[in-house]
Amino acid sequence: EAEVAQSPRYKITEKSQAVAFWCDPISGHATLYWYRQILGQGPELLVQFQDESVVDDSQLPKDRFSAERLKGVDSTLKIQPAELGDSAMYLCASSLFGGYNEQFFGPGTRLTVL
Amino acid sequence: KNEVEQSPQNLTAQEGEFITINCSYSVGISALHWLQQHPGGGIVSLFMLSSGKKKHGRLIATINIQEKHSSLHITASHPRDSAVYICAVGGIQGAQKLVFGQGTRLTINP
């Protein structure tokens, strides 16, 4: 069964360091989402791609976060420099039809910033 | 006030009990999703609905568009149902994205 892949699964870093997360969506899914989930809360959308184009990054802290999906397939989310408040689960999801239709989630990357 | 409110935040029940989790939203939407998140993080989509009722196994989801309210029911609950259940709504003010509730943590004791 096709799945969304993410790596690493866990990342521990010190504040001011750079971190990067990778996501490979289900083959054929044009829409890719990056979410941040703080413990005890629901996911919050950071960035949404349609193919290689960003369609929504209104909640992405652009002074330290960046995301790319150069060939419209896999994607990388980067944080530089990491801050203590960035500790969270970072989830990637993909969707065949985009918008508010069904999304398929990866296992997530749990980031701890010390 | 959050656009999506879930209740209760935490629910503990005994195996076999009938479970109800509620979701209310404040404005018109195009679709509502129920999702399940197990410890470790993975999220699985359970239902997407825009009207009426859907059933899958022991899970039933209903939505009342006029009252802006949805419920997720679990019949004959089992310890393996223990998870966080998340409601998400789409199409708020035409936006092509999902807005998530804070989740309901369900624990079923044997």
Side-chain angles (χ1 to χ4, degrees):
Chain A
E1 184 175 311
E3 296 180 339
V4 176
Q6 286 188 250
S7 66
R9 292 292 307 277
Y10 304 91
K11 179 70 177 179
I12 300 174
T13 190
E14 295 184 346
K15 63 179 182 179
S16 80
Q17 296 298 304
V19 293
F21 312 132
W22 176 80
C23 173
D24 191 13
I26 292 173
S27 178
H29 283 194
T31 310
L32 184 148
Y33 311 82
W34 282 103
Y35 292 97
R36 177 171 59 188
Q37 185 180 26
I38 296 171
L39 191 64
Q41 299 182 17
E44 174 194 27
L45 180 68
L46 291 175
V47 61
Q48 176 182 341
F49 289 93
Q50 182 68 27
D51 298 309
E52 67 275 10
S53 300
V54 173
V55 297
D56 187 343
D57 64 356
S58 56
Q59 300 303 311
L60 187 72
K62 298 181 187 64
D63 56 336
R64 298 184 300 108
F65 286 64
S66 64
E68 60 183 16
R69 194 184 184 197
L70 293 177
K71 297 183 179 179
V73 180
D74 59 337
S75 175
T76 302
L77 177 70
K78 297 179 181 177
I79 308 175
Q80 182 174 16
E83 297 181 351
L84 295 178
D86 296 332
S87 294
M89 175 74 82
Y90 290 83
L91 293 159
C92 178
S94 70
S95 173
L96 183 59
F97 298 111
Y100 42 77
N101 291 292
E102 183 177 16
Q103 298 179 17
F104 296 83
F105 287 81
T109 297
R110 183 167 296 283
L111 174 67
T112 301
V113 182
L114 304 176
Chain B
K1 186 180 188 303
N2 292 333
E3 291 172 304
V4 184
E5 294 279 354
Q6 288 186 236
S7 63
Q9 289 192 9
N10 294 282
L11 177 58
T12 299
Q14 292 299 120
E15 183 173 357
E17 288 188 35
F18 181 81
I19 303 298
T20 296
I21 299 171
N22 298 297
C23 176
S24 297
Y25 48 93
S26 54
V27 295
I29 63 170
S30 298
L32 183 143
H33 297 254
W34 282 103
L35 307 145
Q36 181 190 56
Q37 185 171 31
H38 278 284
I43 293 177
V44 175
S45 178
L46 298 174
F47 296 103
M48 182 176 95
L49 58 163
S50 55
S51 65
K53 174 181 175 179
K54 287 190 176 180
K55 183 176 189 293
H56 185 255
R58 295 180 294 107
L59 301 178
I60 303 166
T62 64
I63 187 169
N64 185 317
I65 298 295
Q66 287 72 31
E67 295 187 1
K68 297 184 175 57
H69 180 269
S70 175
S71 293
L72 176 68
H73 305 287
I74 305 175
T75 62
S77 61
H78 190 276
R80 65 175 176 266
D81 297 325
S82 298
V84 175
Y85 292 84
I86 302 172
C87 169
V89 300
I92 291 179
Q93 297 179 329
Q96 297 293 307
K97 66 178 182 181
L98 294 179
V99 176
F100 294 77
Q102 80 276 26
T104 294
R105 181 172 297 277
L106 174 66
T107 303
I108 303 296
N109 293 320

